[in-house]
């Protein structure tokens, strides 16, 4: 039984966690299929961005505790929770968050490059209420995204915030009415896809590098020898849309 669906929409891959009966909680099978979907995104030249969402009006309730009690792991070695939170993807990934994004679900969203949130979405890291910490990237990424004391409040209380609050904190790029997140995220993906794929990958490489200045020098040197840079300059001079090749 497939628990992660993929659909190509233009130049974007819509990835849907499809376990609504479990509020899209991540078990071993879900992690494996999500990892495979991300591989599809990475390996397909016609796809320039991905959108991650959940079926049934819920993004993800995080780790499937019932499966975990049976000994299942929701992590993929080297790629983290759900095969995403530690993965080094070259293509932009957008989270379209409806309903609950709790625990690992929130961490999946934090593992994406952009977040589109429904107004009534719920983001939370309640691990401390269970004697744990948000070890799928929550305690690492959240303090990097929002002011320290606000991140600590979310991490230490375990209490959720809604989509509107997430937008006001800068966690969400767009806050939209419930039911519209996937459509808006796909629009963002198409906007991103107007740009050069090598440049998009270079941005991601620099942002996640430990020495960003060194990484920036390396990436710009590579880009300056690419056919896409020449095409971008030529298209600008000729006042036309560039035709990117990814070379």
């Amino acid at each position: 039984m497939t628990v992660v669906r993929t659909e190509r929409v233009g130049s974007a891959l819509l990835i849907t966690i499809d376990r609504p009966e479990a509020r899209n909680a991540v078990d071993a099978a879900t992690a494996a299929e999500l990892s495979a979907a991300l591989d599809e995104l990475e390996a397909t030249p016609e796809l320039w961005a991905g959108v991650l969402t959940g079926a049934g009006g819920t993004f993800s309730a995080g780790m499937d505790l019932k499966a975990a009690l049976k000994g299942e792991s929701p992590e993929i070695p080297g790629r983290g929770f759900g095969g995403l939170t530690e993965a080094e993807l070259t293509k932009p990934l957008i989270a379209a968050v409806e309903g609950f994004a709790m625990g690992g679900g929130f961490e999946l969203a934090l593992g994406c490059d952009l977040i589109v949130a429904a107004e009534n979405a719920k983001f939370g890291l309640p691990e401390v209420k269970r004697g744990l910490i948000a070890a799928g990237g929550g305690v690492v990424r959240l303090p990097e995204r929002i002011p320290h004391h606000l991140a600590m409040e979310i991490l230490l209380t375990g209490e959720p915030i809604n989509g509107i609050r997430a937008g006001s904190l800068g966690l969400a790029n767009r806050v939209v009415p419930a039911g519209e997140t996937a459509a808006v995220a796909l629009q963002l993906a198409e906007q991103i896809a107007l740009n050069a794929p090598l440049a998009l990958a270079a941005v991601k490489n620099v942002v996640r590098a430990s020495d960003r200045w060194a990484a920036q020098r390396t990436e710009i040197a590579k880009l300056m020898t690419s056919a896409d840079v020449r095409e971008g300059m030529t298209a600008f001079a000729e006042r036309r849309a560039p035709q990117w090749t990814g070379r």
Side-chain angles (χ1 to χ4, degrees), residues 5-95:
R5 294 185 284 106
T6 61
E7 178 187 358
R8 298 186 186 187
V9 183
S11 58
L13 184 67
L14 178 61
I15 303 169
T16 304
I17 303 174
D18 192 10
R19 298 187 72 210
E21 74 286 352
R23 294 199 301 177
N24 299 321
V26 179
D27 59 4
T30 306
E33 292 189 25
L34 178 53
S35 183
L38 296 173
D39 285 343
E40 179 184 349
L41 171 63
E42 287 284 288
T44 307
E46 298 80 16
L47 296 172
W48 289 14
V51 171
L52 176 63
T53 193
T58 293
F59 185 70
S60 173
M63 179 172 64
D64 187 324
L65 296 178
K66 293 180 180 179
L69 287 172
K70 296 177 182 177
E72 290 189 26
S73 173
E75 296 196 2
I76 300 295
R79 302 183 68 156
F81 180 80
L84 167 59
T85 58
E86 297 176 42
E88 295 190 353
L89 304 176
T90 64
K91 297 182 180 180
L93 186 63
I94 306 169

Side-chain angles (χ1 to χ4, degrees), residues 116-132:
V116 177
E119 294 170 339
N120 64 350
K122 295 292 184 184
F123 295 88
L125 296 169
E127 283 84 351
V128 290
K129 295 177 180 288
R130 304 290 181 265
L132 298 169

Side-chain angles (χ1 to χ4, degrees), residues 94-188:
I94 306 169
V97 180
E98 300 277 350
F100 289 100
M102 303 296 289
F106 192 0
E107 291 172 313
L108 290 177
L110 288 171
C112 295
D113 300 295
L114 289 80
I115 297 176
V116 177
E119 294 170 339
N120 64 350
K122 295 292 184 184
F123 295 88
L125 296 169
E127 283 84 351
V128 290
K129 295 177 180 288
R130 304 290 181 265
L132 298 169
I133 63 171
V139 293
V140 174
R141 288 194 168 106
L142 191 61
E144 297 175 343
R145 308 293 170 82
I146 63 176
H148 172 84
H149 294 99
L150 299 177
M152 292 302 286
E153 179 182 347
I154 293 171
L155 288 165
L156 295 176
T157 67
E159 291 298 313
I161 59 173
N162 63 25
I164 294 173
R165 177 65 169 156
S168 71
L169 293 178
L171 273 172
N173 299 80
R174 303 282 189 278
V175 180
V176 301
E180 298 183 12
T181 62
V184 172
L186 287 167
Q187 290 173 1
L188 274 172

Side-chain angles (χ1 to χ4, degrees), residues 195-215:
N195 302 311
L198 291 179
L200 297 175
V203 167
K204 294 196 60 169
N205 285 339
V206 173
V207 166
R208 65 174 169 240
S210 56
D211 186 339
R212 293 175 183 173
W213 288 104

